[in-house]
Structures are given as structure tokens and as C-alpha cells.
Amino acid sequence: MSELLADHTTLRLGGPADRLFTHTDPAHWADLARGLPTPPFILGGGSNTLADDAGHPGTAVRMATRGITFRRHGNNIVEVTVQAGEPLADLVAHCVHEGLSGVEYLGGIPGTAGAAPVQNTGAYGQQISDTLAHLTVYDWQQRTITELQPGQCAFGYRTSTFKTRPGRWTILQLTLHLTRAHRAAPVTNPHLADALGTRPGARPPLGEAAAGVLADRCRRGLSLPDTGPDARQAGSVFLNPPLTHAQAHLVRTAGGPVYRDDFGTLRTSAGWLLQLTHHHPGKRITPGIRCSTRRTLTLTVQGATSAAFTAALQTLARQVREATTIHLHPEPVRPPATSTVNGAPTR
């Protein structure tokens, strides 16, 4: 009997894949890929995946390779190479323990290191592309393992070429250049500055900054609990949407936040938009689907289906669009419906 995708996603939704492999040994990737006629759907930790109830009519590969190596690259620079299946949270913890700055504000984010470049994972003003030196990838067109430089990845706000060109590459490992330092990178996020009891621009001790991020994520419901009513979730269900100048004026007039992302685009908070349309933590959206007990932007599942979860997302997006003209874009990734599928890993 085929394995259920529900057993490999944090929403615990999804039917069987036609074939599902677990990849653990980096040395065996070429053999695995050679036996696949089309790119598989790549699963990371499954924390950003919304699989269909009917399952996936193709091959899925769960990326479970582990390992982190450190190599001196200069006076204060250390080259860190991490396998794609390594949990991102473990990578951050290891780097902080080694006294390396550059990813300390990414602590507590669920998912794998290999999935981080796909959506250019970021938090508190820091993103994975900031310190990325290069990626080792499998090119499905050329059928070879090669390297990609950051400039080839088209990084943007929660996007990259791995999202816009699905099926071209599978990420096998990341190489980062981190700085040996006792203090964290400058705090640029005002909320984080308040949470750490410091000011924007300050550089708190590295360990204290990393611990403060974890505490703040837990306090705000941004962590993935193992048990309880919020355990079945996929984190934030919508990206913070881009705004026209007219929409930005509307948001400001209503007392909402407007900011420019690291790439210069005006955006607002998707969570604030849901609150504007009368949603709140714990609110029932549809049968079996609720906002989490801690935050509006996370939906939790209690006995519902993937179809019901999708319908809840559509309902929320429609309500926001009708109230504000702003379009919300879902963040969870869906396995493609055909056997020609995404070669980029999901969280």
C-alpha cells in the first residue's frame, strides 16, 4: 500500500503518492535521480505542504539527508555547508553554538535547510539569501549535479527561481558564509528590538539574541507545537501582500501597517487584514478549520480534509479582497496534479 502524504506533513492531510522515496545518503542521489523519468515532488519537513485528499499521481521524495560541516574561509568568515534535509532550526542552533553570526534570527522556523532558499525564508529582517555563498543542485534538464550562485536564484520576498521555475532544479546542499562574532547582526526589526529590550541597530550578544528570537516566536504562536489544538498547522497561510499606493493609503487610513520589504515593495500584514475582516485567534472558519489559539494568520485542522482547508483559504482571501481590493496569496505549497512535478523542496 502506498504511503500517505499525511504522514509526512504537519497538517496531516493528503492521500497516497504513487511512489514515495526517503533520501538519506547524499552519495546515492545520482542513482535515485537516474531512475526517475520526470522530476519528483520534493518534501522537506512537510510544514508548508497542503497535499490533496486524493494523493499525488507521481513520485515524491522526502529529503532526509543530514550533516553540517564548518571550514575557515578567511579571518572571521567560516564556510558552513549543510545537507538539504537538515532541519533549519538545527542549523541555526549549531551555528550559534559555534559563535557564527548570520542566521541567528532564523531560529525556530520549521522546515529543512534545503527548503529555505525556495521561498527565501526570512524573519526579523534576516533572510537565508543574505549569507548564501552557493547551492549544490541537481539540474533536471542537464541531468547533472551543479552549483548555482545567489545571483542565479532570482531571490525576492518569499520567492526564488525555484518557485518560479518548478521542476528545473532540486536543492541538495547549501553553503553559507557566516561571520565569527560574539555579537549578533544589527537588529533591524522594531518588534525584535522591543522583544530583546534593545534599540534598532544594536548588536546584542549572539546567544541572547538567538534565545530571544525563540522566546518571541513561542510567545506569538509562531512555533510549531508537538501536541494540542494548534499542532496540525502549516504556519502562516498567506504571504504579506504587495500594495498599490492607493491600497497603502487605505491601509494607513484604517490604522494598519505599511512597510517596504527588503526588495522595495510596499506591503502590509496579512494577519492584520484578516483581523480587519473580523477574524481572531481561535475563531472557527469552516467545520474543522480554525484560526490557531495564538494568532489569526495560522489555521489549524481538527478533523477536516484538504479540500476543506483549501475552501477556508479561499473564503478568507475573498473576504479580504471584497473589503479592501487586496489579494492574498496562499503560502502552503500544493503538490502538482500531474506527474511532471516540482523539483524544488518544500518546507
Side-chain angles (χ1 to χ4, degrees), residues 244-245 247-260 266 272:
T244 65
H245 287 286
Q247 290 169 336
H249 176 73
L250 179 152
V251 170
R252 289 191 182 101
T253 300
V258 174
Y259 70 98
R260 288 191 184 274
L266 285 172
W272 180 84

Side-chain angles (χ1 to χ4, degrees), residues 63-134:
M63 190 66 73
T65 52
R66 302 291 294 267
I68 305 171
T69 61
F70 301 90
R71 185 176 71 88
R72 183 175 176 179
H73 189 70
N75 289 338
N76 292 311
I77 303 298
V78 174
E79 185 172 89
V80 181
T81 299
V82 55
Q83 297 299 321
E86 188 75 37
L88 180 61
D90 289 358
L91 169 66
V92 174
H94 275 84
C95 291
V96 170
H97 179 75
E98 292 291 326
L100 301 176
S101 171
V103 293
E104 58 270 30
Y105 300 141
L106 305 184
I109 297 176
T112 57
V118 177
Q119 64 171 19
N120 195 15
T121 293
Y124 301 106
Q126 193 173 72
Q127 50 202 357
I128 196 69
S129 61
D130 293 342
T131 54
L132 185 67
H134 63 264

Side-chain angles (χ1 to χ4, degrees), residues 50 83 100 103 152 230 246 292 347:
L50 176 57
Q83 297 299 321
L100 301 176
V103 293
Q152 297 174 276
D230 294 343
S292 81
R347 283 203 321 232

Side-chain angles (χ1 to χ4, degrees), residues 289-345:
I289 309 292
R290 293 179 177 272
C291 296
S292 81
T293 60
R294 295 285 189 92
R295 65 194 300 255
T296 309
L297 191 56
T298 295
L299 297 189
T300 63
V301 176
Q302 287 99 26
T305 63
S306 179
F309 196 89
T310 300
L313 294 181
Q314 292 170 341
T315 296
L316 294 176
R318 175 178 52 77
Q319 291 171 347
V320 167
R321 185 174 63 252
E322 290 175 351
T324 66
T325 76
I326 297 170
H327 290 259
L328 290 178
H329 300 278
E331 187 162 356
V333 175
R334 303 183 70 94
T338 65
S339 59
T340 302
V341 297
N342 192 345

Side-chain angles (χ1 to χ4, degrees), residues 1-8 13-20 51-60 335:
M1 183 176 177
S2 300
E3 285 190 69
L4 296 177
L5 291 175
D7 293 334
H8 303 285
L13 298 174
D18 283 356
R19 294 192 300 171
L20 192 149
D52 289 338
D53 298 312
H56 174 58
T59 301

